[in-house]
Amino acid sequence: MDKNSISQHISRQYNTELEDIRNKVMSMGGMVEQQVVDAVRSLVEGDERLADVVVNNDYKVNAMEVAIDEECNVILARRQPAAGDLRLLVAVIKTITDLERIGDEAERIARMALHINDKSQVDRFHGRIEHLGELAGKMLKGALNTFARMDAEMAVEVWREDLKLDKEYDGIMRQLITLMMEDNRSIPSALDTMWAARSLERIGDRARNICEYVIYLVRGKDVRHTSLEQMEAEARNK
Amino acid sequence: MDKNSISQHISRQYNTELEDIRNKVMSMGGMVEQQVVDAVRSLVEGDERLADVVVNNDYKVNAMEVAIDEECNVILARRQPAAGDLRLLVAVIKTITDLERIGDEAERIARMALHINDKSQVDRFHGRIEHLGELAGKMLKGALNTFARMDAEMAVEVWREDLKLDKEYDGIMRQLITLMMEDNRSIPSALDTMWAARSLERIGDRARNICEYVIYLVRGKDVRHTSLEQMEAEARNK
């Protein structure tokens, strides 16, 4: 889809509707980003008050998903969009599903912050979890920027970041297993830290999904389930 | 959507297209079901050959998702469906995403079967993992039947099964933690068993998602993010 095609509609009202959907996705994305940042901070700093805020805010993310989904359905039914607009709406429906699930992961991390009893055992992982959280947050931000600009090359770059995140995740998991084997009293809190790391790794996967929808939207090709090399070729193939 | 509305289209060709989509979803669902059954069997019986089959079959599931997705887009663009048909197509797009991700979980379980080195330590969990796999498989089958019959009451019943699965999952996790604390040599294989249990729990969550789409499709109400009680009320509210 041409970047400007959205502004080429005959109906000004229809344009406004599509713009409104895009803005709402961005605003939902911003809310989810904040949830991830707060969740990681609550875990790393042991801030239970902040963890509560994250848990209590999740319903807002869910409500936004339902509202945007409904709005897409109304536009699909009323405007019967073709080609590019249709792809945009399908991409929106998929993107908000991933954003909502990222919100669920943030909630899970915040619950871990409330749940970890013996914090001292996992203190030494704070730095690494924080770093993993930064990588996941950066990917999410990148995916949202990619969506805002409909930029397929940027999408590939963000997509690539997932390799870095996976590597960091593997390193943390190995260290946690070592800790558990050295000191079995650490097992419950080390497991909680594992689940939190897993959630952050999943957030990266979901950000990558969003990048794939953008590439599909821009290029009209389905890049899911292809190798990174093929994907880069698709993204370059203007 | 009325159960028979699909057969009330003016265009016979359009009917055929919608029927074809539904059949393809069912056939994708059947393939995913088999993947889950085989993955659990490969893990429980330590059958590496079967695990390989599951890992190697995942691309077929992925290919089906892409093909159905594309077919939905073509119908959306060409037929510009309204109301019930539109909801059906949106539900299909969401359902196949969950089916594909269930396929990914099956692949993860199969990889665990290839990965677990010291099988003796987790032998005693085989029965419980098998049972968890049966519960997850039953939910998936139920969700697919629900989709085939467009039956909202049945969807609520299947949805309910997830509580049972979650309880069983919690029990297994507690036992595995105990095992790990008693014998730290068991930690690596116990962790693998945990990931497999987690995958089965996720399969239940995704089967539940499919039930929610069916309720939405049949009733035109969005039941996601509501409590079970509200959901049952929605399902009964004809």
Side-chain angles (χ1 to χ4, degrees):
Chain A
M1 190 177 67
D2 184 85
K3 281 176 195 169
N4 300 315
S5 71
I6 285 166
S7 55
Q8 292 166 355
H9 286 290
I10 298 162
S11 155
R12 186 184 293 264
Q13 173 63 21
Y14 182 18
N15 278 347
T16 313
E17 285 170 18
L18 289 176
E19 265 307 307
D20 184 54
I21 291 266
R22 283 159 57 101
N23 290 338
K24 279 188 177 142
V25 172
M26 292 312 291
S27 129
M28 180 180 176
M31 188 185 282
V32 170
E33 248 189 286
Q34 192 60 49
Q35 288 281 90
V36 173
V37 168
D38 288 347
V40 172
R41 222 179 72 198
S42 75
L43 182 73
V44 169
E45 298 180 3
D47 185 340
E48 298 196 357
R49 192 202 51 80
L50 188 59
D52 271 331
V53 171
V54 173
V55 171
N56 291 327
N57 271 344
D58 187 54
Y59 83 94
K60 292 186 195 166
V61 175
N62 296 346
M64 285 199 83
E65 188 207 359
V66 172
I68 298 171
D69 208 49
E70 198 44 54
E71 208 168 316
C72 286
N73 282 337
V74 169
I75 297 186
L76 280 171
R78 194 186 296 154
R79 301 292 182 178
Q80 309 194 321
D85 297 335
L86 181 61
R87 286 211 303 272
L88 171 69
L89 289 168
V90 172
V92 165
I93 289 170
K94 291 180 178 183
T95 296
I96 59 174
T97 305
D98 281 297
L99 286 176
E100 191 269 325
R101 305 277 160 85
I102 291 174
D104 287 346
E105 299 294 351
E107 192 194 343
R108 275 194 195 104
I109 295 168
R111 286 192 190 279
M112 291 299 157
L114 295 171
H115 186 246
I116 291 185
N117 294 315
D118 181 10
K119 293 183 171 71
S120 61
Q121 292 294 332
V122 290
D123 266 3
R124 61 171 129 159
F125 286 92
H126 284 176
R128 295 201 75 169
I129 290 288
E130 203 167 12
H131 182 52
L132 197 66
E134 279 162 9
L135 290 176
K138 197 179 150 201
M139 274 192 74
L140 175 55
K141 190 186 281 298
L144 290 167
N145 283 339
T146 286
F147 183 89
R149 299 183 197 171
M150 292 298 152
D151 184 333
E153 278 94 55
M154 193 199 264
V156 175
E157 272 172 47
V158 176
W159 198 90
R160 262 183 171 290
E161 294 287 314
D162 199 39
L163 301 174
K164 215 187 283 177
L165 194 150
D166 283 350
K167 210 175 146 189
E168 179 67 15
Y169 167 76
D170 288 340
I172 292 176
M173 295 305 265
R174 270 197 304 272
Q175 271 202 344
L176 281 164
I177 292 174
T178 306
L179 169 67
M180 289 161 84
M181 295 187 77
E182 279 169 7
D183 173 11
N184 67 1
R185 288 165 306 164
S186 73
I187 290 175
S189 52
L191 279 175
D192 281 340
T193 310
M194 275 189 176
W195 297 130
R198 177 81 151 196
S199 283
L200 290 170
E201 187 256 343
R202 290 281 168 111
I203 289 173
D205 287 348
R206 294 194 174 277
R208 202 183 57 183
N209 290 343
I210 295 173
C211 293
E212 292 176 7
Y213 307 145
V214 169
I215 299 176
Y216 172 63
L217 184 54
V218 175
R219 295 276 169 268
K221 300 232 173 171
D222 205 313
V223 293
R224 286 168 296 172
H225 319 305
T226 59
S227 73
L228 184 58
E229 290 69 31
Q230 281 176 288
M231 226 182 89
E232 288 182 312
E234 291 294 351
R236 273 193 302 265
N237 180 29
K238 301 199 217 191
Chain B
M1 190 177 67
D2 184 83
K3 282 175 196 169
N4 299 317
S5 71
I6 284 166
S7 55
Q8 291 164 357
H9 286 288
I10 297 161
S11 156
R12 185 185 292 264
Q13 173 63 20
Y14 182 19
N15 278 347
T16 311
E17 285 170 18
L18 289 176
E19 265 307 308
D20 183 55
I21 290 266
R22 284 159 56 103
N23 290 338
K24 280 190 177 144
V25 172
M26 293 311 293
S27 128
M28 180 180 175
M31 188 185 283
V32 170
E33 248 189 286
Q34 192 58 50
Q35 287 281 91
V36 173
V37 168
D38 288 346
V40 172
R41 221 179 73 200
S42 75
L43 183 72
V44 169
E45 298 180 4
D47 185 339
E48 300 197 355
R49 193 202 50 80
L50 188 59
D52 270 332
V53 171
V54 173
V55 170
N56 291 328
N57 272 343
D58 187 54
Y59 83 94
K60 290 186 197 165
V61 174
N62 296 345
M64 284 199 84
E65 187 207 1
V66 171
I68 298 172
D69 208 50
E70 197 45 54
E71 206 167 317
C72 285
N73 282 336
V74 168
I75 297 185
L76 280 171
R78 195 187 295 155
R79 301 291 183 181
Q80 308 194 322
D85 297 336
L86 182 61
R87 286 212 303 274
L88 171 69
L89 289 167
V90 172
V92 166
I93 289 170
K94 290 180 179 182
T95 297
I96 58 173
T97 305
D98 281 297
L99 287 176
E100 190 270 325
R101 304 276 160 86
I102 291 174
D104 287 346
E105 299 294 350
E107 191 195 343
R108 277 194 194 101
I109 294 168
R111 285 190 190 280
M112 292 298 157
L114 295 171
H115 186 247
I116 291 184
N117 294 315
D118 180 10
K119 294 184 171 72
S120 60
Q121 293 293 331
V122 290
D123 267 2
R124 59 172 132 160
F125 286 92
H126 285 175
R128 296 202 73 170
I129 289 287
E130 203 165 13
H131 182 52
L132 197 66
E134 277 162 11
L135 289 175
K138 197 179 149 203
M139 276 194 72
L140 176 55
K141 190 185 282 295
L144 290 168
N145 284 339
T146 286
F147 183 89
R149 299 183 198 173
M150 291 300 152
D151 185 331
E153 278 94 58
M154 192 199 266
V156 175
E157 272 173 47
V158 176
W159 199 90
R160 263 183 171 290
E161 294 287 314
D162 198 39
L163 301 174
K164 214 185 284 175
L165 194 149
D166 283 350
K167 211 175 146 191
E168 180 66 17
Y169 167 74
D170 289 340
I172 293 177
M173 294 306 265
R174 271 197 304 274
Q175 272 202 344
L176 281 165
I177 292 173
T178 306
L179 170 67
M180 289 160 86
M181 294 187 78
E182 278 168 10
D183 174 10
N184 67 0
R185 286 165 308 165
S186 73
I187 290 176
S189 52
L191 278 174
D192 281 339
T193 310
M194 275 189 176
W195 296 128
R198 176 81 151 197
S199 282
L200 291 169
E201 187 257 343
R202 290 283 169 108
I203 289 172
D205 288 348
R206 293 193 176 277
R208 202 183 57 185
N209 289 344
I210 295 172
C211 293
E212 293 177 8
Y213 308 144
V214 169
I215 299 177
Y216 172 63
L217 184 55
V218 175
R219 294 277 168 268
K221 299 230 173 175
D222 205 314
V223 293
R224 285 168 297 172
H225 318 306
T226 59
S227 74
L228 184 58
E229 290 71 30
Q230 280 176 288
M231 227 183 89
E232 287 182 315
E234 292 293 353
R236 274 194 301 265
N237 180 31
K238 299 198 218 189

